[in-house]
């Protein structure tokens, strides 16, 4: 059995082969986001190739580079002595983006960034801004629920994690029952909920 090793090589993008395959698909929107990231920040990732110069990891970045300039020089990690099964596992692992954010660390990391990371892209829809006065609780009014509205996915993840309800389902009584509720912004109550995080 051949000893496994990894060597770092510089290659012209057009010299990398795509015959190994890649089970991951990318939407047109995500591809354009990746293209914009490459244009803004450059290609700071490393491509993983097998000993025959087939791409194992970095397929989507390579396809964009090939469209834009196939003569671009790229850094690759060349895996030598790996079985096809191991290479497929590496490809799948590279394309698996599981896990949850460490919300506190993510908040610290992103606090001073002025770059749009797309973390709250889902919240950038046509949402009508309302003043806080319209969302304040009215004294002596009875509510079944208080709705905490989050302005970003990051706020939502922090709220559900800290309350211990992340990925939990709320049972609703079937039938036509009206629910009386008031809404407050998460940012306005987070200090009261968590003592000034």
């Amino acid at each position: 059995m051949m000893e496994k090793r990894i060597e770092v090589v510089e290659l012209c993008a057009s010299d990398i082969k795509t015959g190994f395959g890649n089970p991951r698909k990318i939407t047109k929107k995500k591809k354009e986001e990746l293209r914009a990231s490459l244009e803004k920040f450059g290609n700071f990732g490393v491509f993983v190739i097998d000993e025959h110069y087939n791409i194992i990891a970095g397929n989507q970045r390579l396809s964009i580079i090939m469209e834009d300039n196939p003569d671009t020089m790229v850094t690759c990690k060349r895996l030598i002595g790996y079985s096809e099964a191991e290479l497929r596992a590496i490809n799948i692992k590279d394309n698996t983006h599981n896990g949850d954010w460490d919300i506190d660390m993510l908040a610290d990391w992103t606090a001073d960034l002025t770059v749009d990371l797309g973390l709250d892209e889902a919240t950038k829809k046509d949402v009508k801004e309302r003043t806080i006065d319209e969302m304040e609780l009215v004294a002596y009014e009875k509510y079944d629920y208080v709705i905490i509205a989050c302005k970003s996915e990051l706020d939502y993840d922090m709220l559900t994690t800290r309350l211990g309800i992340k990925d939990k389902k709320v049972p609703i009584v079937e039938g036509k029952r009206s629910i009386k509720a008031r809404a407050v912004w998460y940012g306005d109550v987070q200090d009261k909920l968590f003592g000034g995080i």
Side-chain angles (χ1 to χ4, degrees), residues 57-182:
N59 289 271
Q60 308 306 335
R61 282 182 294 125
L62 180 64
S63 71
I64 291 169
I65 289 170
M66 289 294 292
E67 289 170 8
D68 292 347
N69 182 4
D71 295 326
T72 302
M73 295 301 290
V74 295
T75 303
C76 302
K77 285 189 176 180
R78 186 171 176 230
L79 307 182
I80 300 170
Y82 286 74
S83 71
E84 184 178 335
E86 289 170 323
L87 295 171
R88 282 196 315 268
I90 291 167
N91 172 278
I92 292 167
K93 192 67 178 164
D94 180 66
N95 286 313
T96 304
H97 306 288
N98 289 333
D100 295 322
W101 290 110
D102 178 328
I103 298 300
D104 293 333
M105 182 182 284
L106 183 63
D108 289 342
W109 276 38
T110 59
D112 63 345
L113 294 182
T114 57
V115 176
D116 180 8
L117 298 173
L119 292 175
D120 58 353
E121 193 63 35
T123 65
K124 292 183 180 176
K125 296 179 179 151
D126 293 329
V127 178
K128 181 183 172 194
E129 276 294 322
R130 294 184 288 176
T131 64
I132 299 305
D133 291 341
E134 294 172 354
M135 299 185 75
E136 285 180 0
L137 296 174
V138 178
Y140 309 113
E141 195 171 337
K142 183 181 176 191
Y143 304 106
D144 295 317
Y145 292 96
V146 173
I147 298 169
I148 301 175
C150 298
K151 292 184 179 181
S152 70
E153 186 176 351
L154 185 60
D155 282 350
Y156 174 78
D157 284 344
M158 184 180 291
L159 175 66
T160 57
T161 300
R162 293 212 171 222
L163 291 177
I165 58 173
K166 188 167 181 67
D167 301 322
K168 302 272 195 256
K169 294 187 178 184
V170 178
I172 300 292
V173 177
E174 289 189 29
K176 294 186 178 183
R177 177 177 181 242
S178 64
I179 297 174
K180 196 169 189 178
R182 291 295 279 180

